[in-house]
Amino acid sequence: MALGLLVVVIPLGWVATRALTFGGDATHSPLLSSRTGFWQAAWLAFRASPIWGTGPGTFPTDLMWSNSMPPARPYLHAHNSSLATRHPSPSLESRARWAGIVAAFAGFAVHSLADDHTRYLSLAIPLVVLLALALADRSNREDAKNAKFSFHASLRTAFRPVPVGRITLPTRRRPRLRRRAVHAILLVPSLASLLFTAYSFRAQSIGEMAIDSALDGNWKASAGQFDLAAQADPQFAFYWLESGYAYGVLAANGDAASLDAAIGRTERGLALEPDYALNHANLGALYWQAGRRDDAMREMRRAVELAPAASLFRLNVGLFEEATGDGDAALRDYRAALDLDPALAAGVLWPTTPLRASALDGWRAAREPDRPPRTAAQFTAKARSEIAAGDLSSAERDLSAAWQIDSQSSAVYLGFAELALARGELSQADGYLRAALWVQTQSNAEKVAPLLAWAELAARQGDTDAALVRYRQAFD
């Protein structure tokens, strides 16, 4: 028995260890580390409202309290799509059947306190089956008397076969009054759910049309349609914020009359959804365009507070401070932005004014001496510098070290592609770039550099059409 137990436990333990420690998965990081952020947000949401929850579809808002967005992505849901169901056998009593159903619905209800899973068939279908099991009536009095449950009997229709000699004829049973009463009780919440769904989808359908208009470049129509969507569902911040964005594009394109509309709608959306940093940054940009500099500074600084890891918000604060003559504060924020994202140092912004050039020089001078790389990102950055210097053998060694640390990094495969290009191995470079684009990332921005390199590769191979397509993708 002990040996048999080991035979079962060891493979299960091996599979669990691989799942928990990454084990070569191609789509996400180790199980525990990749879910911790979601669990932390769910716990905060539960603590905020353990009885009523925060509302369906509000998981992105709860996630903002434990993540800096941007640069992190505002995930729409917690990605949990598993639902444990109990399949009773004929020997189980009715209590076991109800225990399984209640347990499954309890788990679903708790998870729904901060998430919305009804749109996923992997959850909706099992829930419908569980409801059918819960509402199924006994097929005859004998089953009820013995308190036995049969899975097939619970799904049996109102037609009950009655043997007559050797022939079986179906005869319709009269529905019980109790079953009719149960259905009548369910009718009211069902109709209420239907009416609310129709009300909600009306605004959503208008919003979808507004998005299509914006994609077609018709921002005037888009702004008007978002206004209609906001009027149809005035408590949903998204429509107000998107309407403000559409009017802001019109104002940036020369329609001065749209600027006030953009500000007003964005302010109303922020009153409903005050915790997403990007909305404050957008409002700050609108205020700056309207000449309201103090208001613009306040909103951009609020964006920095909400998303402290977002380098571009800090950079914008520096630009505002420089424009208002506060050079010392601008230098401080420029250097803070560079600390958050050293890649900004390669931008064309810094030589445009003496203050910005001074900020870049001071930041470079204050950096600590280069230490031996430890992380995959550090090995990759060192390797790319070595490629630029022509030291290809050292670059290959450092890229291999980076790959050993993190084989799911888009930047590592981009480094291998640059190494292959430096050696003239175009087909290998193409394969590495495809891998860089295939690996799942936390941000779409991580795909920009591989796309640009892929476009340059196509141009180098003489395929101008493919190069243009890839450049457009990177631009988008």
Side-chain angles (χ1 to χ4, degrees), residues 96-108 130:
R97 166 198 178 196
W98 280 100
I101 295 172
V102 171
F105 270 94
F108 176 79
L130 287 173

Side-chain angles (χ1 to χ4, degrees), residues 1 35 46 65 69 89 113 151 158 181 197 203 212 214 218 254 276 287 309 316 330 342 349-350 353 374 408 429:
M1 290 178 63
R35 315 317 284 172
F46 178 76
W65 289 103
M69 297 184 186
S89 63
L113 287 172
F151 181 75
T197 301
D212 290 337
N218 190 350
Y276 189 25
Y287 281 152
N316 277 326
L349 170 74
W350 308 106
T353 68
R374 296 181 179 179
Q408 301 303 307

Side-chain angles (χ1 to χ4, degrees), residues 103-380:
F105 270 94
F108 176 79
V110 170
H111 202 169
S112 295
L113 287 172
D115 214 335
D116 180 13
H117 298 109
T118 53
R119 69 185 68 182
Y120 301 104
L121 292 179
S122 59
L123 283 167
I125 292 176
L127 286 172
V128 170
V129 173
L130 287 173
L131 277 173
L133 293 174
L135 298 175
D137 206 350
R138 292 290 183 273
S139 60
N140 51 53
R141 294 178 181 274
E142 185 176 355
D143 287 341
K145 180 179 179 181
N146 296 331
K148 302 293 184 182
F149 171 68
S150 169
F151 181 75
H152 298 288
S154 70
L155 300 179
R156 193 174 298 163
T157 65
F159 290 96
R160 181 187 180 192
V162 177
V164 180
R166 292 186 176 181
I167 304 175
T168 300
L169 299 177
T171 60
R172 180 177 289 278
R173 298 168 55 205
R174 179 176 297 176
R176 297 180 181 177
L177 182 61
R178 183 176 60 184
R179 179 182 295 179
R180 289 178 175 174
V182 170
H183 292 174
I185 293 173
L186 292 174
L187 181 63
V188 174
S190 299
L191 286 176
S193 176
L194 177 64
L195 291 174
F196 180 78
T197 301
Y199 163 77
S200 177
F201 279 2
R202 176 177 177 270
Q204 184 176 351
S205 64
I206 301 173
E208 292 294 332
M209 289 189 292
I211 292 174
D212 290 337
S213 296
L215 292 175
D216 292 336
N218 190 350
W219 288 99
K220 187 173 183 179
S222 177
Q225 289 163 339
F226 272 125
D227 281 344
L228 292 176
Q231 293 167 10
D233 192 355
Q235 295 304 311
F236 191 42
F238 175 81
Y239 301 136
W240 293 109
L241 293 168
E242 291 301 290
S243 176
Y245 186 86
Y247 279 111
V249 172
L250 290 174
N253 290 334
D255 185 357
S258 297
L259 185 55
D260 289 338
I263 291 173
R265 284 155 179 78
T266 305
E267 288 175 337
R268 183 158 181 178
L270 266 176
L272 296 170
E273 175 54 271
D275 300 320
Y276 189 25
L278 185 59
N279 298 329
H280 289 275
N282 286 341
L283 183 58
L286 291 171
Y287 281 152
W288 190 265
Q289 188 175 348
R292 298 166 57 176
R293 294 192 165 189
D294 291 340
D295 293 334
M297 186 74 74
R298 182 192 68 243
E299 292 301 321
M300 199 63 69
R301 284 175 174 162
R302 179 58 179 157
V304 170
E305 292 175 4
L306 291 172
S311 60
L312 293 181
F313 295 162
R314 180 78 69 171
L315 183 64
N316 277 326
V317 170
L319 292 173
F320 287 178
E321 290 166 338
E322 182 181 4
T324 55
D326 192 350
D328 292 339
L331 282 173
R332 183 176 60 251
D333 283 306
Y334 283 151
R335 291 171 182 173
L338 288 165
D339 286 336
L340 289 171
D341 185 6
L344 291 175
V348 298
L349 170 74
W350 308 106
T352 54
T353 68
L355 182 67
R356 297 170 195 173
S358 173
L360 180 61
D361 292 339
W363 174 78
R364 284 175 171 166
R367 296 190 69 184
E368 296 182 4
D370 291 338
R371 296 178 178 178
R374 296 181 179 179
T375 66
Q378 290 171 343
F379 274 109
T380 303

Side-chain angles (χ1 to χ4, degrees), residues 37-52:
F38 298 125
W39 292 336
Q40 182 180 9
W43 173 245
L44 292 174
F46 178 76
R47 289 178 58 186
S49 181
I51 303 299
W52 306 110

